[in-house]
Amino acid sequence: MNRAVALRIAACGILGLGAALLIAALLLSTYTHSKIAKIPLDLDATLISDGSGTAFDPASLNSERFVVDRDVPMVQQEQLTVESPSNADVVTLQVGSTLRRTDKQQEAGLLLALVDTVTVNRSTAEAVSSESNPGGAVQKPRAMEDDKPPTNIALPHEGLAYRFPFDTEKKTYSVFDPIAQKAFDANYDGEEDVNGLTTYRFTQNVGYDSDGKLVEPVKYASLYEDDADSEVTARAAMWGVPGEPDEPITMSRYYAAQRTFWVDPVSGTIVKRDEHGYHYYAREPLKPEVTFVDYKVAFNEETVESQVASAGNERDRVALWGRILPITFTAMGLVLLVGGALLGSFSLRAESALIDPGLDEADHGFFDTQGIKVPGAEAKTEKIPTSRPTDLPPDRPV
C-alpha cells in the first residue's frame, strides 16, 4: 500500500467520524434530551416546614369546652418516596404528610395526617390513570396501635402533583390538592432568586381570593366511613356559642389554603414552598365559628438547601446530555470534517504525483521545497564543445 492510498483511507475514516459526531449531537439535542428530562426513579426526600398558628387542643375533647390555643409552634413533615408502578414513562409518588404541634407529644400533638399516592407522567408531572391504576389513592386513617396493613381509598388525581414539568413555563398550571380532593390553579407570579437559583414563583388559592379573603371554602371530605371528622355534633356549651348550653349543635368542617411555590424552571423541582392552611367548623361556610387549625408554615433552610441541590443535580444531568455534549460533539465533528477534507485533498494530489512524475517539476511545485529554488539541484547538465586546433607548430606531428 503506497502513501497516497493510506492517506485516502485515513481521510475517509476522519470524515466518517466527524459525520457520526454531528449526527450524535443532533440526536442528543432532540431525541435523547426528551429521554433524559424525566423525574428520577430514585426520589427519596424529607421536606420539613416550620411555622406557627392557632390549633385545637385534642385533650379538650374530654372537657366541658373545646379549647383553641393561639401562637402554637408547628411543624409539617412530608416523606416522599417512589412506589410501583414506575417505569420509563410514569412514576408513582407516595407522600406521607403530617402537621404537628411541637408543644405536645405523640398523638396529643398530631393535627393532620395524610398518605397520598399518585402516578404521574415523568416529563409533564401530570397525573395519569389507567384501568388498573385510577391515578391516585389516599390511605384510610388508622390508630397508632393498629398493626393491620393500611387500606387505600381510590382517589383519581388531575393536574400536577408534587412537581412541575420540565421546562416549566410562565403560565397558569392546575395543581392537585389532596385534602380538597381536586385541582386548583397555580398562577405565575414572577421570578425570584432562591439560594442563587433563579426560580419561577406561583401562587395558588383554595377557597380564598387573591386578596386573602375567604370566598369559597371546600367542605372537608372525611376519610372515615362515618364522617366522624367532617361533621361534629356537640353541646352549645362545648362549642362555646350562644344558646342553651345543652342544645346539640351540628357543625361541618371546612377547608381553605393559600400556597406559594418557588419552582426551578429547568427540572420542575419545587425548591421552596410557603403554605397557609385553615380548617374550621361552622354552620355556614363563610362564617367560621370554631377553629380546628389555622397555620402558616414554610420550608426550613435545610429543606430549601436540599431541594436546590437536587434541582442543581437534575439541571446538570439535563445540561450534560442536552447542551454540553451536543456542543462538544458538534465542534469536534466540524473540526474532523475540515481535517478529513484537507487530508483527502492532499492524498489526491499525492496520488496524481505518483502517476505523473512530471508533477514533481518546479512548475507544479508539489514537492517543491516550500517555493525555494535550488539552481544547482535543478539545472540540466550542458555539454560544452571544444574547438579543434588548426595551427600547429611545424615541428609537432599532428
Side-chain angles (χ1 to χ4, degrees), residues 39 83-87 89-94 116-122 124-130 132-137 155-162:
I39 299 173
E83 304 294 333
S84 180
S86 296
N87 51 45
D89 300 318
V90 300
V91 59
T92 298
L93 304 176
Q94 185 177 86
D116 182 37
T117 303
V118 57
T119 301
V120 301
N121 182 286
R122 291 182 62 193
T124 67
E126 293 270 355
V128 296
S129 299
S130 64
S132 59
N133 179 25
L155 176 60
H157 288 51
E158 58 183 10
L160 305 180
Y162 303 106

Side-chain angles (χ1 to χ4, degrees), residues 162-356:
Y162 303 106
R163 301 269 303 205
F164 277 69
F166 277 82
D167 301 320
T168 300
E169 300 178 36
K170 299 178 180 180
K171 67 176 188 179
T172 297
Y173 288 94
S174 182
V175 179
F176 190 78
D177 185 318
I179 296 177
Q181 300 188 358
K182 60 186 297 186
F184 295 85
D185 287 345
N187 302 307
Y188 173 74
D189 193 35
E191 293 185 9
E192 190 171 329
D193 181 272
V194 177
N195 287 16
L197 181 70
T198 299
T199 65
Y200 291 173
R201 186 177 62 250
F202 294 86
T203 57
Q204 182 188 48
N205 290 304
V206 179
Y208 287 103
D209 63 12
S210 57
D211 296 324
K213 180 182 178 181
L214 197 63
V215 291
E216 195 174 351
V218 178
K219 189 171 183 180
Y220 186 78
S222 176
L223 299 178
Y224 292 99
E225 294 179 357
D226 57 357
D227 296 334
D229 56 350
S230 63
E231 285 193 355
V232 176
T233 301
R235 296 181 300 108
M238 290 197 71
W239 287 117
V241 298
E244 292 294 329
D246 293 329
E247 179 186 357
I249 296 178
T250 299
M251 292 193 187
S252 298
R253 180 172 168 179
Y254 294 92
Y255 162 71
Q258 292 176 302
R259 297 183 182 89
T260 301
F261 305 97
W262 286 264
V263 179
D264 169 34
V266 176
S267 66
T269 302
I270 299 172
V271 300
K272 182 180 176 182
R273 188 188 67 214
D274 287 356
E275 180 172 335
H276 170 212
Y278 187 24
H279 296 250
Y280 63 91
Y281 287 96
R283 284 169 283 186
E284 296 181 31
L286 295 177
K287 294 182 179 181
E289 296 183 75
V290 178
T291 297
F292 177 69
V293 60
D294 185 2
Y295 64 95
K296 290 184 179 181
V297 295
F299 280 0
N300 62 20
E301 188 58 36
E302 290 77 11
T303 297
V304 172
E305 290 177 357
S306 175
Q307 289 297 95
V308 169
S310 177
N313 291 337
E314 293 189 40
R315 273 176 170 255
D316 292 343
R317 179 168 57 88
V318 172
L320 175 64
W321 294 95
R323 186 175 68 253
I324 296 175
L325 288 180
I327 292 175
T328 302
F329 285 0
T330 299
M332 292 176 61
L334 292 175
V335 170
L336 289 175
L337 286 178
V338 173
L342 292 175
L343 186 60
S345 174
F346 186 84
S347 68
L348 290 176
R349 295 178 65 183
E351 186 174 9
S352 299
L354 292 174
I355 294 174
D356 184 3

